[in-house]
Amino acid sequence: SLQYALEEGNRDGWTESTLIVVLFAVAATSLVTFVVHELETPHPVVDLRIFKNRTYAASTGINLMMGLALFSGNFLFALYCGAVLHYQALDIGKVFLYSGAFQIFLMPLVGRFGGKIDARKMLAVGITGVAISLFMNAHLTERSGFGDLVQSMFVRSLSLAFVFIPISVVALSDIPAPQRGNATGLFNLTRELGGSIGTAWMGLLVDRATTRNAAYLAENVTPYNPLTQETIGAVRGSLGTQTYTADLVPESILALKVKLQALVLAFQSGFLHATAVFLSCLVLLLLLKKPRTGPATPGAH
């Protein structure tokens, strides 16, 4: 119910759709019932008591917000490339390919030698780097080139290598071996849940921000604005003489410019929100304990 509501909510108008409201109610009721039942039964399918472990709870919180910010950031980035820069799917894929290729070599190195460095420090570096990447995305415009896109995504790809492995190590380092299977399942679920919430959130944010920005920008496009008069004169002197509807050409071009700028501002706002969410993970780092060192525990994976 929750997954469907998050996927289709923005398209159906959220609270304007009876189906979406009902599904959210079903999801909330089911969640409360499930949590109460799992806490009361002596042999739960999902042992929620594991969240009493401070390090695991904080790591799971970081994982949730990381999924929220990361999935929403990548969703926004791909949507920006298509809607603003008019990239084809293959061109968007090339941006992700070129920027992420180095991660193939870096991830194994972090996994092999990362045990010699405090995982909390690597997490701090990785989270800060991803936040910087999202902040770079927030300054993209309709004139940004392929190199600008690859540069920002390269920073993100590089930084994520210092996040994925260390956060898993920290989260499970203080969990007894018999509980690690349950802990791993919950840990992975939180990232996927965060991704679904983040994607739905960003879709709603961009949609509403575009409408709001377009209204604000349109207020300044009046016959009394010198810039408006200058633009109209320039268009009439170039394209306007080549059509029978010379008076409509400047108006149409101005409307397109307003729509484009409103969209760019909406995307910039979305990236800034994702940056703030990712930076908030640094607060939870203070609750993490230093991972235990030593031989691997039997049954760990």
Side-chain angles (χ1 to χ4, degrees):
S1 298
L2 178 63
Q3 185 66 32
Y4 182 90
L6 291 174
E7 290 286 343
E8 303 295 333
N10 191 47
R11 183 181 306 170
D12 295 341
W14 297 105
T15 55
E16 297 177 5
S17 170
T18 303
L19 175 61
I20 297 300
V21 173
V22 170
L23 289 176
F24 271 124
V26 170
T29 304
S30 301
L31 176 62
V32 173
T33 305
F34 175 76
V35 170
V36 172
H37 179 270
E38 294 302 285
L39 291 177
E40 289 182 346
T41 184
H43 303 289
V45 175
V46 179
D47 189 2
L48 300 177
R49 299 177 183 87
I50 198 171
F51 285 107
K52 291 181 179 180
N53 185 300
R54 189 186 73 184
T55 297
Y56 179 78
S59 300
T60 304
I62 293 175
N63 202 41
L64 175 69
M65 289 190 289
M66 185 173 68
L68 192 153
L70 185 60
F71 279 78
S72 63
N74 287 343
F75 167 74
L76 275 183
F77 183 82
L79 195 60
Y80 167 85
C81 291
V84 177
L85 300 180
H86 304 292
Y87 276 31
Q88 299 297 320
L90 182 60
D91 298 321
I92 299 174
K94 288 179 180 179
V95 175
F96 282 96
L97 177 63
Y98 294 158
S99 59
F102 186 71
Q103 197 178 75
I104 299 175
F105 306 99
L106 185 58
M107 290 282 275
L109 294 177
V110 173
R112 183 174 182 179
F113 301 107
K116 300 179 181 180
I117 306 174
D118 191 336
R120 296 171 299 178
K121 295 180 179 179
M122 287 195 293
L123 279 172
V125 172
I127 291 172
T128 303
V130 173
I132 291 174
S133 170
L134 291 168
F135 189 73
M136 293 170 67
N137 288 157
H139 290 80
L140 295 173
T141 69
E142 71 279 7
R143 298 183 179 181
S144 298
F146 187 84
D148 299 318
L149 303 177
V150 172
Q151 183 180 24
S152 62
M153 293 302 293
F154 177 77
V155 174
R156 186 178 310 174
S157 176
L158 191 67
S159 303
L160 284 174
F162 296 94
V163 174
F164 282 132
I165 295 178
I167 190 63
S168 300
V169 171
V170 173
L172 302 177
S173 63
D174 203 31
I175 302 297
Q179 297 181 342
R180 288 191 178 179
N182 174 74
T184 302
L186 275 174
F187 185 77
N188 293 333
L189 173 64
T190 55
R191 183 181 301 170
E192 299 300 325
L193 179 61
S196 298
I197 295 174
T199 302
W201 175 41
M202 285 302 161
L204 175 64
L205 188 150
V206 170
D207 184 51
R208 293 187 175 180
T210 301
T211 303
R212 184 174 61 252
N213 292 334
Y216 290 154
L217 292 173
E219 291 178 356
N220 297 310
V221 183
T222 66
Y224 308 102
N225 189 318
L227 290 177
T228 302
Q229 295 176 359
E230 181 180 345
T231 302
I232 292 176
V235 173
R236 282 178 177 171
S238 57
L239 298 177
T241 58
Q242 302 175 22
T243 176
Y244 292 106
T245 57
D247 293 334
L248 297 180
V249 172
E251 180 181 345
S252 301
I253 291 180
L254 282 173
L256 290 174
K257 285 188 175 183
V258 167
K259 182 179 180 181
L260 178 61
Q261 291 304 317
L263 193 60
V264 170
L265 290 174
F267 278 113
Q268 291 177 345
S269 175
F271 283 123
L272 287 176
H273 278 78
T275 302
V277 170
F278 221 89
L279 283 177
S280 65
C281 296
L282 293 174
V283 178
L284 292 177
L285 283 181
L286 302 176
L287 301 177
L288 300 181
K289 297 179 181 179
K290 185 176 181 179
R292 297 178 180 178
T293 56
T297 306
H301 59 83

